[in-house]
Amino acid sequence: MLLTDQLGRTEAVADGIRQRIAARVLAPGARIPSVRAQAEAMGVSKSTVVEAYERLAAEGAIVSRPGSGFYVAGKTRPLCLKAMGPELDRAVDPLWLARQSALAGSTMMMPGGGNLPEAWLPDDAVRRGLRAVARAETAIVTRYDQPQGFPPLRALIARRGAEKGVVASPDQIVLVDSATQALDLIARFLLQPGDTVLVDDPCYFNFVALLRAQRATVIGVPMTTEGPDLTALAALLAKHRPRFYLTNSALQNPTGTSLLPATAHRILRLCEAHETLVVEDEIFGDLEPDAAPRLAGFDGFERVIQIGGFSKTLTAAARCGWIALRPDWVEPLVDLKLALSLGNGHVCAALAHGLLTDGSYRRTLAETRRRLAGAMAQVARDLSECGLRIWAEPRGGYFLWMRLTDGRDAADVARRALTRNMLLAPGVVFSPSGGWQDFLRFNVGHCADPQVMKSLRAVLG
Amino acid sequence: MLLTDQLGRTEAVADGIRQRIAARVLAPGARIPSVRAQAEAMGVSKSTVVEAYERLAAEGAIVSRPGSGFYVAGKTRPLCLKAMGPELDRAVDPLWLARQSALAGSTMMMPGGGNLPEAWLPDDAVRRGLRAVARAETAIVTRYDQPQGFPPLRALIARRGAEKGVVASPDQIVLVDSATQALDLIARFLLQPGDTVLVDDPCYFNFVALLRAQRATVIGVPMTTEGPDLTALAALLAKHRPRFYLTNSALQNPTGTSLLPATAHRILRLCEAHETLVVEDEIFGDLEPDAAPRLAGFDGFERVIQIGGFSKTLTAAARCGWIALRPDWVEPLVDLKLALSLGNGHVCAALAHGLLTDGSYRRTLAETRRRLAGAMAQVARDLSECGLRIWAEPRGGYFLWMRLTDGRDAADVARRALTRNMLLAPGVVFSPSGGWQDFLRFNVGHCADPQVMKSLRAVLG
């Protein structure tokens, strides 16, 4: 049995503090436990703690403020997502890609973009919808929406879910301002700082940024052409005991894959065994030609929370998202939503409701699916001719996940494309592990433009 | 010098873990440091740590998962704001009050509400504005707003600030979906878990809920009729080294007071001396008859961040808020905004811009100020006749902070009012320290209704 001497104890105290600073349990500017409290907590004398603190102060790790105590050195800096990842150039910086994808009226060609081209979105229907909202009752144009969100839209969302085998009552639906805000609210509802979350690898890059902002540890589950690698999922669940697993069951971003029933069943079994929740992002679900199984449908909202929205399919200018979850979590979630935002947009909820009931949404979905089906086949052929290989045939949607077969690094290709005013989305951007370096995600909506494909050929050729 | 024996060391290790569980540094379900790491960190033998962990497991504080390690006992529960405060009844539950204030079409009388009556809001202007947006370019009705927010509206907000002596370029303005979201984004930008924030006591109750959701420690600075108590502020700054001080300079909620120039100067000097930032909430600023000094105006955005929005004065149904801050923080803040929401509502920003440029907003402000000035005087007289005493004469706005002079508890009065279908806002709801128990906040817009005042007399009499 090891007997520590005075020197050893001093170093042990100092090292404990160093570790807590390194882990940011003690952040810059935070107060260090008082000498007395630390001495009691570690069962050492006060003089040992004083010596340890003096050592840390001499190192510059902490500073003494007379009459007030010791503090972690350094000015607290604001949260900088950029500083939380490696230093990146524009071609592989997810934050920069997000900005570019959001830029309206950009003159940049967007084969790597995350949204449909402006011309594909139903602007006439949205204009009609806005005029209809302008005629709505006064509360809809002047007042906060109801705490849980516009009841008629919640009823519609519940009904649409049932068509995909997902049974929730309107009382289980909470409206929010977007699917992204839905995930953010869920993350804040469920996560403690330092919790682990599993995502797919590759996955939508913003998932990682959003979860990191919530100070979660984000770990990727390798994707296969048939969905997440179940052996890897089982091992990661056992090792990390994650709070939840975040996935797209339908038309996964960026791979375009959808879950098979047996895979859905096994994911739920595994998550149940490890007491891990599932957050199922439905954002592309309405673009499926016919519905793949949903985890929420199999599970009945015991373990699964579903999120979705209309920014990808209807309009991103008047946003509206939703969360479906177990009944006993609705009230505390709505409390949190009110505290953090006072509520979702009433006008946007009424607009979405109008477009979902007047037939506009069904028409635009049918038209978009038809255009995408044609474009998907053509773009896949065109890209194959450029020497790229398709990873898995998507059932629908607008993403193609393609592999460069000539050993080139996709980030290099994206850098070259940028010099030609073209945004590409290299695989590494979507990978929490920094993998998939020979992959690119293509948006077939943008690639279907012959001018864009011509430029793309030049870049890829 | 105290020499600890094996028993003392075991207890020291166990107690360190107990403290970290109590402080939620180790949350339910979190993994405890491995035996080896803990032994190294504390300079004790592994057998000491094993013994300590066995003791904690026997107590039920932690659980062992064979092959995986030790974990804090208890299922992680979702964040429940209600559980973070004392158990309250409806009359004094801020979350419930927030729900009631948001409920559109409520038949409840709302002398304690936080918003103007529906009939006071410019619904015709909003309807016209929505029709105008329906005619706007396609990007405005279908696409995400630009990452920093609609440039014409940012230019307008900068110009309006200059009229109040607050000089910021449009590049220093970031649009968000509401003033509440503005505060939330700032809190996430600036705060580490466990940081301290100062607020006014009393203050807008949602401040406390929002900051607690960000795991901040919230401490109140006592308000005087001339603004925050500067002696108390100085002491609290020295003692707690808060990250920021959150306040309304103009028409403080709930007291209705506005800062005097000398007070503004002294607040900034004190915060500078203690390296504390200031977040200035401008939400009621446009209701002032003439502009009180602004902390951001004196400071020039070195230390002050300003937030605001239009939900109180224009419409709460299509929300739009803004943040003005130092130039070098704009880019990381916009990164964070995109990660957490993908951006503010394009339609809402265009709507606000339209109503601010077509004269609607100036007209509605002038009319609202005129109505409020008349109602304020009348309601103050009526309430005085009920035996309440005004705390400080507000310069404008719609809140009156009144004291019960007969020794009654305001929460009891609010409970009684609830049985008569009337929402009152007792002082304790606004107090982070649980004080102000003989105060009520009145909304003169609602109290100006003779029917409401009649019922109010019955409740108060």
Side-chain angles (χ1 to χ4, degrees):
Chain A
M1 136 115 234
L2 179 82
L3 270 181
T4 57
D5 59 1
Q6 164 72 16
L7 206 69
R9 279 194 296 272
T10 303
E11 188 51 30
V13 173
D15 209 49
I17 299 286
R18 275 190 212 106
Q19 285 186 15
R20 291 168 72 188
I21 293 173
R24 289 180 80 83
V25 172
L26 290 170
R31 188 208 290 264
I32 309 283
S34 73
V35 169
R36 197 175 56 81
Q38 184 73 3
E40 278 176 16
M42 296 196 67
V44 298
S45 70
K46 288 195 213 168
S47 65
T48 301
V49 175
V50 168
E51 210 173 301
Y53 284 10
E54 280 169 359
R55 192 177 297 178
L56 291 168
E59 288 168 10
I62 69 175
V63 290
S64 158
R65 296 188 175 261
S68 169
F70 289 88
Y71 293 86
V72 181
K75 194 78 207 80
T76 316
R77 295 224 194 94
L79 181 64
C80 182
L81 291 177
K82 228 181 197 165
M84 295 172 88
E87 187 71 38
L88 298 169
D89 64 28
R90 301 200 308 181
V92 292
D93 180 351
L95 299 169
W96 186 81
L97 282 184
R99 279 182 190 240
Q100 290 302 317
S101 287
L103 270 177
S106 167
T107 57
M108 193 176 267
M109 290 173 284
M110 302 288 283
N115 305 296
L116 287 173
E118 186 176 306
W120 289 44
L121 293 171
D123 64 319
D124 282 339
V126 176
R127 294 176 198 285
R128 251 195 335 270
L130 283 169
R131 287 194 296 269
V133 174
R135 294 187 299 270
E137 56 183 291
T138 300
I140 288 177
V141 298
T142 59
R143 300 204 44 175
Y144 294 94
D145 196 357
Q146 296 197 14
Q148 196 172 336
F150 198 52
L153 181 57
R154 287 193 283 114
L156 254 181
I157 289 168
R159 210 175 317 146
R160 291 181 56 81
E163 291 170 16
K164 297 174 191 163
V166 179
V167 179
S169 99
D171 294 339
Q172 287 175 263
I173 313 277
V174 177
L175 297 188
V176 288
D177 282 331
S178 65
T180 304
Q181 203 213 359
L183 175 59
D184 188 42
L185 192 62
I186 289 297
R188 298 174 82 177
F189 186 58
L190 294 178
L191 297 178
Q192 303 270 352
D195 276 355
T196 297
V197 175
L198 298 186
V199 297
D200 295 318
D201 183 359
C203 70
Y204 173 40
F205 50 74
N206 211 43
F207 285 171
V208 178
L210 187 154
L211 292 165
R212 279 199 186 143
Q214 192 57 13
R215 296 169 211 279
T217 302
V218 184
I219 294 176
V221 183
M223 282 293 281
T224 75
T225 53
E226 318 222 300
D229 178 329
L230 294 171
T231 310
L233 177 62
L236 292 168
L237 286 167
K239 182 166 178 204
H240 297 285
R241 292 177 40 89
R243 186 66 171 125
F244 62 81
Y245 166 45
L246 168 62
T247 190
N248 312 108
S249 304
L251 304 178
Q252 199 259 354
N253 181 4
T255 63
T257 53
S258 298
L259 281 190
L260 299 172
T263 314
H265 170 71
R266 291 198 54 200
I267 289 172
L268 286 172
R269 287 283 302 276
L270 285 171
C271 288
E272 190 181 349
H274 294 88
E275 299 183 69
T276 291
L277 302 170
V278 177
V279 178
E280 181 176 51
D281 175 19
E282 256 297 284
I283 189 72
F284 295 105
D286 284 346
L287 293 177
E288 280 184 307
D290 52 316
R294 295 297 194 271
L295 293 166
F298 280 28
D299 172 68
F301 293 103
E302 273 193 43
R303 179 163 306 285
V304 177
I305 297 172
Q306 225 187 22
I307 60 176
F310 303 99
S311 299
K312 301 295 177 195
T313 43
L314 193 55
T315 172
R319 297 173 73 197
C320 184
W322 51 268
I323 299 167
L325 78 172
R326 46 189 269 191
D328 59 325
W329 282 1
V330 168
E331 188 180 323
L333 185 76
V334 170
D335 280 345
L336 186 63
K337 168 186 151 175
L338 291 186
L340 302 178
S341 72
L342 279 189
N344 58 288
H346 209 164
V347 159
C348 296
L351 176 69
H353 176 256
L355 296 175
L356 262 71
T357 43
D358 76 0
S360 301
Y361 191 57
R362 284 197 192 265
R363 274 195 301 277
T364 191
L365 280 183
E367 171 70 4
T368 303
R369 281 194 214 109
R370 191 189 59 72
R371 287 174 82 164
L372 282 176
M376 179 74 79
Q378 181 61 46
V379 170
R381 272 195 302 275
D382 290 347
L383 290 173
S384 296
E385 280 166 21
C386 296
L388 286 93
R389 192 172 308 141
I390 195 166
W391 191 66
E393 204 83 47
R395 300 159 54 98
Y398 50 81
F399 291 134
L400 269 174
W401 187 237
M402 308 281 297
R403 181 174 216 149
L404 290 162
T405 53
D406 55 4
R408 274 188 297 177
D409 182 279
D412 288 337
V413 176
R415 262 176 225 111
R416 181 133 67 98
L418 270 185
T419 66
R420 300 187 183 211
N421 199 34
M422 173 183 289
L423 184 86
L424 290 183
V428 69
V429 159
F430 302 92
S431 175
S433 68
W436 302 90
Q437 296 179 355
D438 47 352
F439 277 79
L440 288 158
R441 183 192 73 179
F442 290 93
N443 180 321
V444 305
H446 289 272
C447 297
D449 178 334
Q451 282 305 315
V452 172
M453 185 50 80
K454 191 178 159 199
S455 302
L456 198 46
R457 278 203 189 90
V459 166
L460 295 170
Chain B
M1 127 121 241
L2 179 82
L3 270 181
T4 55
D5 59 2
Q6 164 73 15
L7 205 70
R9 278 195 296 273
T10 302
E11 188 51 28
V13 172
D15 209 50
I17 299 287
R18 276 189 212 108
Q19 286 186 15
R20 291 168 74 188
I21 292 172
R24 290 182 78 83
V25 171
L26 290 170
R31 188 208 290 262
I32 310 282
S34 73
V35 169
R36 196 174 56 81
Q38 184 74 0
E40 279 176 15
M42 295 196 67
V44 297
S45 70
K46 288 193 213 168
S47 65
T48 301
V49 175
V50 168
E51 210 172 300
Y53 283 10
E54 279 168 359
R55 192 175 299 178
L56 290 168
E59 288 168 11
I62 69 176
V63 290
S64 158
R65 294 188 177 261
S68 170
F70 289 88
Y71 293 85
V72 181
K75 194 81 207 81
T76 315
R77 292 222 196 97
L79 181 64
C80 181
L81 290 177
K82 231 181 197 167
M84 296 173 88
E87 187 71 37
L88 298 169
D89 65 27
R90 300 200 312 179
V92 292
D93 180 351
L95 299 168
W96 186 81
L97 282 184
R99 279 180 190 241
Q100 289 302 317
S101 287
L103 269 178
S106 167
T107 57
M108 193 176 267
M109 289 173 285
M110 301 287 283
N115 305 296
L116 287 173
E118 186 176 308
W120 289 44
L121 293 171
D123 64 320
D124 282 339
V126 177
R127 294 176 198 283
R128 253 195 333 271
L130 284 169
R131 288 194 295 268
V133 174
R135 293 188 298 271
E137 55 185 290
T138 301
I140 288 178
V141 298
T142 58
R143 301 203 42 175
Y144 293 94
D145 195 359
Q146 295 197 15
Q148 196 172 335
F150 199 52
L153 180 58
R154 287 194 283 114
L156 254 182
I157 289 168
R159 213 178 310 148
R160 292 182 54 82
E163 292 169 14
K164 297 174 191 163
V166 179
V167 180
S169 98
D171 294 339
Q172 287 175 262
I173 312 278
V174 177
L175 297 188
V176 287
D177 282 331
S178 66
T180 304
Q181 203 213 359
L183 175 60
D184 188 43
L185 192 62
I186 289 298
R188 299 175 82 177
F189 186 58
L190 294 178
L191 297 178
Q192 304 270 352
D195 276 355
T196 297
V197 175
L198 298 187
V199 297
D200 295 318
D201 183 358
C203 70
Y204 173 39
F205 49 75
N206 210 43
F207 285 172
V208 178
L210 187 153
L211 292 165
R212 279 200 187 140
Q214 192 56 15
R215 296 166 211 278
T217 302
V218 184
I219 294 176
V221 183
M223 282 294 280
T224 75
T225 53
E226 318 221 300
D229 179 330
L230 294 171
T231 311
L233 177 62
L236 292 169
L237 286 167
K239 183 168 176 204
H240 296 286
R241 292 176 45 87
R243 185 65 172 127
F244 62 80
Y245 167 45
L246 169 62
T247 190
N248 312 109
S249 304
L251 306 178
Q252 199 259 354
N253 182 2
T255 64
T257 53
S258 297
L259 281 190
L260 297 172
T263 315
H265 171 71
R266 291 198 54 202
I267 289 173
L268 286 172
R269 287 284 301 277
L270 285 171
C271 288
E272 190 182 348
H274 294 89
E275 300 183 66
T276 291
L277 301 169
V278 177
V279 178
E280 182 176 49
D281 175 19
E282 257 296 282
I283 188 74
F284 295 106
D286 284 347
L287 293 177
E288 280 185 306
D290 52 316
R294 294 297 194 271
L295 293 165
F298 280 29
D299 172 69
F301 293 102
E302 274 193 40
R303 178 162 307 283
V304 178
I305 297 172
Q306 225 186 21
I307 61 176
F310 303 98
S311 300
K312 301 296 175 194
T313 43
L314 194 54
T315 174
R319 298 175 72 198
C320 182
W322 51 267
I323 299 167
L325 78 171
R326 47 189 270 193
D328 58 324
W329 282 1
V330 168
E331 188 180 324
L333 185 75
V334 171
D335 280 345
L336 187 62
K337 168 186 150 175
L338 291 186
L340 302 178
S341 73
L342 278 190
N344 57 286
H346 209 165
V347 159
C348 296
L351 176 68
H353 176 257
L355 296 176
L356 262 71
T357 45
D358 74 1
S360 301
Y361 190 56
R362 285 196 192 266
R363 274 195 302 277
T364 192
L365 280 184
E367 170 70 3
T368 304
R369 281 195 214 107
R370 191 189 60 71
R371 288 175 83 163
L372 282 177
M376 178 74 76
Q378 182 61 48
V379 171
R381 270 195 303 275
D382 290 347
L383 291 173
S384 297
E385 281 167 20
C386 296
L388 287 93
R389 193 173 306 142
I390 194 166
W391 191 65
E393 203 83 47
R395 300 161 54 99
Y398 51 82
F399 291 133
L400 269 175
W401 188 237
M402 308 281 298
R403 182 175 214 149
L404 290 163
T405 53
D406 54 4
R408 275 188 296 176
D409 183 279
D412 288 337
V413 177
R415 261 176 227 111
R416 181 133 66 96
L418 270 184
T419 65
R420 301 186 182 215
N421 200 33
M422 174 184 288
L423 185 87
L424 290 183
V428 68
V429 159
F430 302 92
S431 176
S433 69
W436 303 88
Q437 296 179 356
D438 46 353
F439 278 79
L440 288 159
R441 183 192 73 179
F442 291 94
N443 180 320
V444 305
H446 289 272
C447 296
D449 179 333
Q451 282 305 316
V452 172
M453 184 50 80
K454 192 178 159 200
S455 303
L456 199 45
R457 278 204 189 90
V459 166
L460 294 170

